[in-house]
Amino acid sequence: CSVCEASANVIAVHSQTTELPNCPSSWTPLWEGYSFVMETGLGAEGSGQPLVSPGSCLENFHKMPFIECNGNPGTCKYDSSHYSYWLAALTKTDMFGKPGSWNIPGHISENRISRCQVCMKQM
């Protein structure tokens, strides 16, 4: 994880398809990735952020992009009770149909997860 300061506004643009979206005119691409919505844990726990946020466009796809750590050193782990929610990639034929749920086996993300691009306003 890294925190960066930018000299101008930064946004994420999502295609909701497997194609990379273009940045708006007068915006420069910074990185491309996969559209991440949120993760949840047991009960009402979870985290997410607005889709316009650069944090919603993760460069690499991981079925579970978060690990849970407590205050003791060396006690971080993946928790099987947590779930990741990614923005689905749709085709023109199923764009306005009722969405269905599915699980991703292995790392087959290319045909199922929406692509995104993080862009910075040109000064």
Side-chain angles (χ1 to χ4, degrees), residues 13-67:
V13 179
H14 303 271
S15 68
Q16 285 194 269
T17 70
T18 56
E19 302 294 320
L20 281 173
N22 292 321
C23 289
S25 61
S26 74
W27 291 71
T28 303
L30 295 177
W31 72 82
E32 58 191 50
Y34 296 91
S35 304
F36 182 72
V37 179
M38 64 180 288
E39 63 88 21
T40 62
L42 290 174
E45 297 176 17
S47 65
Q49 53 194 305
L51 288 175
V52 72
S53 167
S56 67
C57 185
L58 301 183
E59 287 184 82
N60 299 304
F61 174 80
H62 299 283
K63 285 193 300 185
M64 190 60 200
F66 292 96
I67 58 173

